[in-house]
Amino acid sequence: MSASAVFILDVKGKPLISRNYKGDVAMSKIEHFMPLLVQREEEGTLAPLLSHGQVHFLWIKHSNLYLVATTSKNANASLVYSFLYKTIEVFCEYFKELEEESIRDNFVIVYELLDELMDFGFPQTTDSKILQEYITQQSNKLETGKSRVPPTVTNAVSWRSEGIKYKKNEVFIDVIESVNLLVNANGSVLLSEIVGTIKLKVFLSGMPELRLGLNDRVLFELTGLSGSKNKSVELEDVKFHQCVRLSRFDNDRTISFIPPDGDFELMSYRLSTQVKPLIWIESVIEKFSHSRVEIMVKAKGQFKKQSVANGVEISVPVPSDADSPRFKTSVGSAKYVPERNVVIWSIKSFPGGKEYLMRAHFGLPSVEKEEVEGRPPIGVKFEIPYFTVSGIQVRYMKIIEKSGYQALPWVRYITQSGDYQLRTS
Amino acid sequence: MTDSKYFTTNKKAEIFELKAELNNEKKEKRKEAVKKVIAVITVGKDVSSVFPDIVNCMQTDNLKLKKLVYLYLMNYAKSQPDMAIIAVNSFVKDCEDPNLLIQALAVRTMGCIWVDKITEYLSEPLLKCLEDEHPYVRKTAAVCVAKLHDINAQMVEDQGFLDYLWGLIADSNPMVVANAVAALSEISESHPNSNLLNLNTQNINKLRTALNKGQIFMLDCLSNYNPKNDRKAQSICERVTPQLSHANSAVVLSVVKVLMKFLELLPKDSDYYNMLLKKLAPPLVTLMSGESEVQYASLRNINLIVQKRPEILKQEIKVFFVKYNDPIYVKLEKLDIRIHLASQANIAQVLAELKEYATEVNVDFVRKAVWATGRCAIKVEQSAEHCVSTLLDLIKTKVNYVVQEVIAVIRDIFRKYSNKYESIIATLCENLDSLDEPDARSAMIWILLESFLEGFHDENTQEQLTLLTLVQQMLTLATQDSDNPDLRERGYTYWALLSADPVTAKEVVLSEKPLISQETELIEPTALEELICHIGSLASVYHKPSNAFVEGSHGIHRKHLPIHHGSTDAGDSPVGTTTATNLEQPQVIPSQGDLLGSLLNLDLSLPINVPQVSSMQMGAVDLLGGGLDSLVGQSFIPSSVPATFAPSPTPAVVRSGLNDLFELSTGIGMAPGGYVAPKAVWLPAVKAKGLEISGTFTHRQGVGWILESSLTGVIPSTPLAIHTPLMPNQSIDVSLSLNTLGGCEKQYRCLLLQLPQPTQCAFVEGGKMEHQVFLATWKNIPNENELQFQIKECHLNADTVSSELQNNNVYTIAKRNVEGRDILYQSLKLTNGIWILAELRVQPGNPNYTLSRKCRAPEVSQYIYQVHNSILKN
């Protein structure tokens, strides 16, 4: 059991559009939502779950909109949140952006989608590719007869239509690893983890059966490949797209599936093996009250010399009342972004093993601000192509279709920054 | 071209325009008009007046238009049931449309019309659709069964719809299966007592085979199953474990729920058991990479899991590092979990982090960090010193709210480790001036006085008396000058104690304090077990049992974790039905000994021997048992207490003067003249080692249920709040904040009150029926539902009877005099919405009245008779 009704509210809490799914919570109850939210925010007790009497609001915020689900039952909270996020995803794919205007411009489709996404509080088809097969922007004239049927909705494989045809059968595999890092002010690493995703772009005809082989340690141990020269990776937690046969993976670590057509995320995994932070930052931020702030940042690429990190952006916090910035960098450029209270030091390409320096100088007003400011961390963004931190590799991708065509898999590796934070003192 | 133009024409004269356009000959025009109507609905204005015109547009071959028309019907059919009937034919026709989308749309919408008459027509097409060859239609029809059940449960059961649903679980299409399971579980939740969801082995096997099709609802269903033995439990665990790799966090949590439950059934120390524990950690950690709201819901659940099984995540404390950009609700939750996971092995790291957090800007977060530091001192004994020095470092920051919070937590540390850290009192005193918050001030007073009292024994009598005199002065101030009833009450209590027997009073004041322990912050075990059974749901996010916030969840069996019974066959049973074991006896289920100990902490627990009661699972508590009760008993037993209400002959069961005093303040606000059942002792003191609970129910205007309770020696610091109506034999969890007589701090615990409950309080105000309605209803109810009773020995006349009953929400609608007899026609309504009609015949001179009752649910009549009887007899 889940939501009774779903609302999309503007930033002031006025309903833009809503759908009553169960009729057991009066639609007018939504009036209490915004005052409640404001009140809880003032009290400092804001949470994504609010209640007014017997009505419970589960809400998320998307740009300037609130998506709110109401219920009076002991609903499945995580299910509702996932549903709301899924709803946003679907709307975004339909309207590019989800905002007040796009809802108004497309209200008929929004109603149609709301009708298909959920029924009586149970989430239904939330895959926008499938929805697009039968909910379209143009008003569709109906042909009579059973022909006009959303094919996928009726398939046993609900994520793939039958009769797909491509001239050239190809699969593109992207292995993307994000590094999450948290370092405290004295330089010790508190948390370091790798979150990897494998994304596929599938251009295959018919109903192909795919099997993906990774250098998975557990698999190697099962098949006796370990101990040989093959390097393997221990995946800590693996999540799969619904197309993957989970019990098969549980049994013999085989990743087998019939893929949806086009783009999708096949799997994600997590490793908490600690690796050397790829880009290491040392910083000195000296604040001389009433006069100036002096910042010195040293960045070091701690990855292989052959690799290069692209689009490196290091954001360093500065006090909100700082002024008259001056910078000096050994490479790249620095700029002050006052609306975010940071200096951003950008380096287009940063080869492994190199070390660069940036100095910044700010003035401070002679009258000090009263409110205390937090100490935001230094953040780093980067992308290193042709490289995975974990060492994960795609060993093979087998593609079998009854028509027997030959298909080519293409693999690309990339490592990028995830939530990469270094606390400042 | 966008649709936003439809919003621009909302002017005054629009209704007429719309009507005209809706009846336009051109299809295109009509379609535009319908869009406008929907746009008007969207902005929240009323367009119910165009209903007939909309119905005219129903016959269309345009799917989009049809959808909009149906949307309109859903919005207004309930308010205009007669008009909705016109639409029925179209619905029925569309249910057989060759186009799947229309067919499904019709079925889906009809179920959302919520008009009784429509549902009558719904059943036949629905049966067909359930067997339709297309899964899209079947999946929609499956949900529609749940909708139909919501409107007309009887029809669903009579026509065998449920069997159809069970059939659909074996369907080849995953969506159909998912919806069938969802519908079944929804139906069974709304009718907890009917055994609709018959979880027998056969059905469980069906669920198991369909497992990866309908994930969440399937898993939830499975979690309600109580396997016979550990082998069965293990085989289900094996089936669900792969689902931990599902990308959806809600699915993962549902799997965790099933596993947490069935872990209870597996033999500890078996390899499988330990492997399962290991498998649980990684997916829980991964939940932390979701969106903030998902993280929050997950963290609240993880909080429960670490309390139940800390071993699962004990290596993963690093995941709960607080990040700068985490929303505050995520930060606070992470902090809470960090405390649960703190141990000697990681305490240094935990404290370093906490110190870091204590210098953040968000005041709430900083306070929580300081508080957490204090908690660590209590939890990890070996590192208490480290924690205390961290706290002293924090005092040096001189940040006002940090200092105050530090002092408040140091009190708790003193309570745990008395005579160990007295040396720091001097440091604390330096900050005396900066304390302006009640909590910090009271903590400081406590710390200071406590250090005096430590040496009380060594003082001479004069000094002791000086202290007592001071106390007396305080009592005078508290009882005479204070406006706060709680304060006055407690003042009186002390006063009474002192004037009765100063020696005993001294003993009371000087008794050993029970130690504070880390467990006081934990959720009470039975409540925790119940919450574990609700992982993923709102209950698990609120940390409250569902009946505390869901209306009408009366009679829903509380869930609890299954109990390991080895491999013995105990037969299949849904978990729910095994729960009602303690319903018979009103009792307080204590959590843990020291919890109750600290509930009545400080001064009152005298080391007096109380007969051991083995049936109750209580730790080392002897609170008032022989102490206060006998003490009070000797001096204050008021003779006015009717002996009948103290069923237990033991001297400990005492309705003392204190109680009466206490009732004075809580008994305000009762409906004047209403019948209030006399207080009964629910929990005799002898059973609860001295804690006595008695009480009664009254019905107050607008509120529903109020529990009037008196607990000897325990004072609720807030009134007991039960906002939902209770039904007979229903139990409710009430969380009551209690103050002890001597304590200076609040203690929280959960009281599980399970009470037989009188019915008369179940009558609600507004149970007066219209004259005509009464007549019609009386005729409508079949005669076999009529029950006759005799009310004997009642000496009131008809008017008094009617006013007496009116006070209790039984309304007299008409009075007739037939052959010298007064006939009163009455109506009343129960809190659950059931109407009851009554005819009361009163013959002057004859003390025996005849009461005839009619009600659609005759089984309640019997209760009502008893209530009638008791109202009139009092």
Side-chain angles (χ1 to χ4, degrees), chain B residues 248-294:
Chain B
N248 186 327
S249 59
V251 177
V252 174
L253 274 180
S254 288
V255 181
V256 171
K257 169 165 67 181
V258 175
L259 295 180
M260 283 296 284
K261 254 182 116 162
F262 290 179
L263 267 174
E264 300 289 320
L265 291 167
L266 298 175
K268 315 269 173 291
D269 306 324
S270 70
D271 288 347
Y272 185 74
Y273 177 87
N274 288 314
M275 190 208 63
L276 211 50
L277 284 182
K278 279 206 192 89
K279 276 199 170 182
L280 274 167
L284 288 173
V285 171
T286 306
L287 289 173
M288 290 302 99
S289 17
E291 295 91 355
S292 321
E293 291 83 3
V294 177

Coordinates of all heavy atoms in Angstrom, one line a residue, chain B residues 248-294:
Chain B
N248 N 16.1 -1.1 -6.8 CA 15.2 -0.3 -6.1 C 15.3 -0.4 -4.6 O 15.2 -1.5 -4.1 CB 13.7 -0.7 -6.6 CG 12.7 0.3 -6.0 OD1 12.8 0.8 -4.9 ND2 11.6 0.5 -6.7
S249 N 15.5 0.7 -4.0 CA 15.8 0.7 -2.5 C 14.6 0.1 -1.7 O 14.8 -0.5 -0.7 CB 16.2 2.1 -2.0 OG 15.1 3.0 -2.3
A250 N 13.4 0.4 -2.2 CA 12.2 -0.1 -1.5 C 12.2 -1.6 -1.5 O 11.8 -2.3 -0.6 CB 10.9 0.5 -2.2
V251 N 12.6 -2.2 -2.7 CA 12.6 -3.7 -2.7 C 13.7 -4.2 -1.7 O 13.4 -5.1 -1.0 CB 13.0 -4.1 -4.2 CG1 13.1 -5.7 -4.2 CG2 12.0 -3.7 -5.2
V252 N 14.8 -3.5 -1.7 CA 15.9 -4.0 -0.8 C 15.4 -3.9 0.6 O 15.6 -4.9 1.4 CB 17.2 -3.1 -1.0 CG1 18.2 -3.4 0.0 CG2 17.7 -3.2 -2.4
L253 N 14.8 -2.9 1.0 CA 14.3 -2.8 2.4 C 13.2 -3.9 2.7 O 13.2 -4.4 3.8 CB 13.7 -1.4 2.7 CG 14.7 -0.3 3.1 CD1 14.0 1.0 3.4 CD2 15.4 -0.8 4.4
S254 N 12.4 -4.2 1.7 CA 11.4 -5.2 1.9 C 12.1 -6.6 2.1 O 11.7 -7.4 2.9 CB 10.4 -5.3 0.8 OG 9.6 -4.2 0.8
V255 N 13.2 -6.8 1.3 CA 13.9 -8.1 1.5 C 14.6 -8.1 2.9 O 14.5 -9.1 3.6 CB 15.1 -8.2 0.5 CG1 15.8 -9.5 0.7 CG2 14.5 -8.2 -0.9
V256 N 15.1 -6.9 3.3 CA 15.7 -6.9 4.6 C 14.7 -7.2 5.7 O 15.0 -7.9 6.7 CB 16.3 -5.4 4.9 CG1 16.7 -5.3 6.3 CG2 17.5 -5.2 3.9
K257 N 13.5 -6.7 5.5 CA 12.4 -7.0 6.5 C 12.2 -8.5 6.6 O 12.1 -9.0 7.7 CB 11.1 -6.3 6.0 CG 9.9 -6.7 6.8 CD 8.7 -5.8 6.7 CE 8.2 -5.8 5.3 NZ 7.1 -4.9 5.1
V258 N 12.0 -9.1 5.4 CA 11.8 -10.6 5.5 C 12.9 -11.3 6.2 O 12.7 -12.1 7.0 CB 11.6 -11.1 4.0 CG1 11.5 -12.7 4.1 CG2 10.4 -10.5 3.3
L259 N 14.2 -10.9 5.8 CA 15.3 -11.6 6.4 C 15.4 -11.3 7.9 O 15.7 -12.2 8.7 CB 16.6 -11.2 5.7 CG 16.7 -11.6 4.2 CD1 18.0 -11.1 3.6 CD2 16.5 -13.1 4.0
M260 N 15.2 -10.1 8.3 CA 15.3 -9.8 9.7 C 14.3 -10.6 10.5 O 14.5 -11.0 11.7 CB 15.0 -8.3 10.0 CG 16.1 -7.3 9.6 SD 17.6 -7.5 10.6 CE 17.1 -6.7 12.2
K261 N 13.1 -10.8 9.9 CA 12.1 -11.6 10.6 C 12.5 -13.1 10.7 O 12.4 -13.7 11.7 CB 10.8 -11.5 9.9 CG 9.8 -10.6 10.6 CD 8.5 -10.5 9.9 CE 7.4 -11.1 10.7 NZ 6.1 -10.7 10.2
F262 N 12.9 -13.6 9.6 CA 13.2 -15.1 9.5 C 14.5 -15.4 10.2 O 14.7 -16.6 10.6 CB 13.1 -15.6 8.1 CG 11.7 -15.6 7.5 CD1 11.4 -16.0 6.3 CD2 10.6 -15.1 8.3 CE1 10.1 -16.0 5.8 CE2 9.3 -15.1 7.9 CZ 9.1 -15.5 6.6
L263 N 15.4 -14.4 10.4 CA 16.6 -14.7 11.1 C 16.3 -15.2 12.5 O 17.0 -16.1 13.1 CB 17.4 -13.4 11.2 CG 18.5 -13.1 10.2 CD1 19.1 -11.8 10.4 CD2 19.6 -14.2 10.2
E264 N 15.2 -14.7 13.0 CA 14.7 -15.1 14.4 C 14.5 -16.6 14.4 O 14.6 -17.2 15.5 CB 13.4 -14.4 14.8 CG 13.5 -12.9 14.8 CD 14.4 -12.4 16.0 OE1 14.2 -13.0 17.1 OE2 15.1 -11.5 15.8
L265 N 14.1 -17.2 13.3 CA 13.7 -18.6 13.3 C 14.9 -19.5 13.0 O 14.8 -20.7 13.2 CB 12.7 -18.9 12.2 CG 11.3 -18.2 12.5 CD1 10.5 -18.3 11.3 CD2 10.6 -19.0 13.6
L266 N 16.0 -19.0 12.5 CA 17.1 -19.8 12.2 C 18.0 -20.1 13.4 O 18.1 -19.3 14.3 CB 18.0 -19.1 11.1 CG 17.3 -18.8 9.8 CD1 18.2 -18.0 8.9 CD2 16.9 -20.1 9.1
P267 N 18.5 -21.3 13.5 CA 19.4 -21.6 14.6 C 20.6 -20.7 14.6 O 21.3 -20.6 13.6 CB 19.7 -23.1 14.4 CG 19.4 -23.4 13.0 CD 18.4 -22.4 12.6
K268 N 20.8 -20.1 15.8 CA 22.0 -19.2 15.9 C 23.3 -20.1 15.7 O 23.2 -21.3 15.9 CB 22.1 -18.6 17.2 CG 20.8 -18.0 17.7 CD 20.6 -16.5 17.3 CE 19.3 -16.0 17.7 NZ 18.1 -16.5 16.9
D269 N 24.3 -19.5 15.3 CA 25.6 -20.2 15.1 C 25.6 -21.1 13.9 O 26.7 -21.7 13.7 CB 26.0 -20.9 16.4 CG 26.0 -20.0 17.6 OD1 26.4 -18.8 17.4 OD2 25.6 -20.5 18.7
S270 N 24.5 -21.3 13.2 CA 24.6 -22.1 12.1 C 25.3 -21.3 11.0 O 25.3 -20.1 11.0 CB 23.2 -22.5 11.6 OG 22.6 -21.4 11.0
D271 N 26.0 -22.0 10.1 CA 26.7 -21.3 9.0 C 25.8 -20.4 8.2 O 26.2 -19.2 7.9 CB 27.4 -22.3 8.1 CG 28.6 -23.0 8.8 OD1 28.9 -22.5 9.9 OD2 29.0 -24.0 8.3
Y272 N 24.6 -20.9 7.9 CA 23.7 -20.1 7.1 C 23.4 -18.8 7.8 O 23.3 -17.7 7.2 CB 22.5 -20.9 6.8 CG 21.6 -20.2 5.8 CD1 22.0 -20.1 4.5 CD2 20.4 -19.5 6.2 CE1 21.2 -19.4 3.6 CE2 19.7 -18.8 5.3 CZ 20.0 -18.7 4.0 OH 19.3 -18.0 3.1
Y273 N 23.1 -18.9 9.1 CA 22.7 -17.7 9.9 C 23.8 -16.7 9.8 O 23.5 -15.5 9.5 CB 22.5 -18.2 11.3 CG 22.1 -17.1 12.3 CD1 20.8 -16.7 12.5 CD2 23.1 -16.5 13.1 CE1 20.5 -15.8 13.4 CE2 22.8 -15.5 14.0 CZ 21.5 -15.2 14.2 OH 21.2 -14.2 15.1
N274 N 25.0 -17.1 10.0 CA 26.1 -16.1 10.0 C 26.4 -15.5 8.6 O 26.7 -14.4 8.4 CB 27.4 -16.7 10.5 CG 27.2 -16.9 12.0 OD1 26.8 -16.0 12.7 ND2 27.6 -18.1 12.5
M275 N 26.2 -16.4 7.6 CA 26.4 -15.9 6.2 C 25.3 -14.8 5.9 O 25.6 -13.8 5.2 CB 26.3 -17.1 5.2 CG 26.7 -16.7 3.9 SD 25.9 -17.7 2.7 CE 24.2 -17.3 2.9
L276 N 24.1 -15.1 6.4 CA 23.0 -14.2 6.1 C 23.3 -12.8 6.7 O 23.1 -11.8 6.1 CB 21.7 -14.8 6.6 CG 20.4 -14.4 5.9 CD1 20.6 -14.7 4.4 CD2 19.3 -15.2 6.5
L277 N 23.8 -12.8 7.9 CA 24.1 -11.6 8.6 C 25.2 -10.8 7.8 O 25.1 -9.6 7.6 CB 24.7 -11.9 10.0 CG 23.7 -12.3 11.1 CD1 24.5 -12.4 12.4 CD2 22.6 -11.2 11.3
K278 N 26.1 -11.6 7.2 CA 27.2 -10.9 6.5 C 26.6 -10.3 5.2 O 27.0 -9.2 4.7 CB 28.3 -11.9 6.1 CG 29.2 -12.1 7.2 CD 30.6 -12.6 6.6 CE 31.5 -13.1 7.7 NZ 31.2 -14.6 8.0
K279 N 25.6 -11.0 4.6 CA 25.0 -10.6 3.3 C 24.2 -9.3 3.5 O 23.9 -8.6 2.6 CB 24.1 -11.7 2.7 CG 24.9 -12.7 2.0 CD 24.0 -13.4 1.0 CE 24.8 -14.3 0.1 NZ 24.0 -15.0 -0.9
L280 N 23.7 -9.1 4.7 CA 22.8 -7.9 4.9 C 23.6 -6.6 4.9 O 23.0 -5.6 4.5 CB 22.1 -8.1 6.3 CG 20.8 -8.9 6.2 CD1 20.3 -9.2 7.6 CD2 19.7 -8.1 5.5
A281 N 24.8 -6.6 5.3 CA 25.5 -5.3 5.5 C 25.7 -4.5 4.1 O 25.3 -3.3 4.1 CB 26.9 -5.5 6.2
P282 N 26.3 -5.1 3.1 CA 26.5 -4.3 1.9 C 25.3 -3.6 1.3 O 25.4 -2.4 1.0 CB 27.1 -5.3 0.9 CG 27.7 -6.4 1.8 CD 26.8 -6.5 3.0
P283 N 24.2 -4.3 1.2 CA 23.0 -3.5 0.6 C 22.6 -2.4 1.5 O 22.1 -1.4 1.0 CB 21.9 -4.6 0.5 CG 22.4 -5.9 1.0 CD 23.9 -5.7 1.3
L284 N 22.7 -2.6 2.8 CA 22.3 -1.5 3.7 C 23.2 -0.3 3.5 O 22.8 0.9 3.5 CB 22.3 -1.9 5.2 CG 21.2 -2.9 5.6 CD1 21.5 -3.4 7.0 CD2 19.9 -2.2 5.5
V285 N 24.5 -0.6 3.3 CA 25.4 0.5 3.1 C 25.1 1.2 1.8 O 25.1 2.5 1.7 CB 26.9 0.0 3.1 CG1 27.9 1.1 2.6 CG2 27.2 -0.5 4.5
T286 N 24.8 0.5 0.8 CA 24.5 1.1 -0.5 C 23.3 2.0 -0.5 O 23.2 2.9 -1.2 CB 24.3 -0.1 -1.6 OG1 25.4 -0.9 -1.6 CG2 24.2 0.5 -3.0
L287 N 22.4 1.7 0.4 CA 21.2 2.6 0.5 C 21.6 4.0 0.8 O 20.9 5.0 0.5 CB 20.3 2.1 1.7 CG 19.5 0.8 1.4 CD1 18.8 0.4 2.7 CD2 18.5 1.0 0.3
M288 N 22.8 4.2 1.3 CA 23.3 5.6 1.6 C 23.7 6.3 0.4 O 24.0 7.5 0.4 CB 24.5 5.5 2.6 CG 24.2 5.1 4.0 SD 23.0 6.1 4.7 CE 21.5 5.2 4.5
S289 N 23.7 5.7 -0.8 CA 24.0 6.4 -2.0 C 22.8 6.9 -2.7 O 22.8 7.5 -3.8 CB 24.9 5.6 -3.0 OG 24.9 4.3 -2.7
G290 N 21.6 6.7 -2.1 CA 20.4 7.2 -2.7 C 20.1 8.7 -2.5 O 20.9 9.4 -1.9
E291 N 19.0 9.2 -3.0 CA 18.6 10.6 -2.8 C 18.4 10.8 -1.3 O 18.1 9.9 -0.5 CB 17.3 10.9 -3.5 CG 17.4 10.8 -5.0 CD 17.1 9.5 -5.6 OE1 16.8 8.5 -4.8 OE2 17.1 9.3 -6.8
S292 N 18.5 12.1 -0.8 CA 18.4 12.4 0.6 C 17.1 11.8 1.3 O 17.2 11.3 2.4 CB 18.3 13.9 0.8 OG 19.2 14.6 0.0
E293 N 16.0 11.9 0.6 CA 14.8 11.4 1.2 C 14.8 9.8 1.4 O 14.4 9.3 2.4 CB 13.5 11.7 0.4 CG 13.2 13.2 0.3 CD 14.0 13.9 -0.7 OE1 14.8 13.3 -1.4 OE2 13.9 15.2 -0.8
V294 N 15.4 9.2 0.3 CA 15.5 7.7 0.4 C 16.5 7.4 1.5 O 16.3 6.5 2.3 CB 16.0 7.2 -1.0 CG1 16.2 5.7 -0.9 CG2 15.0 7.5 -2.0

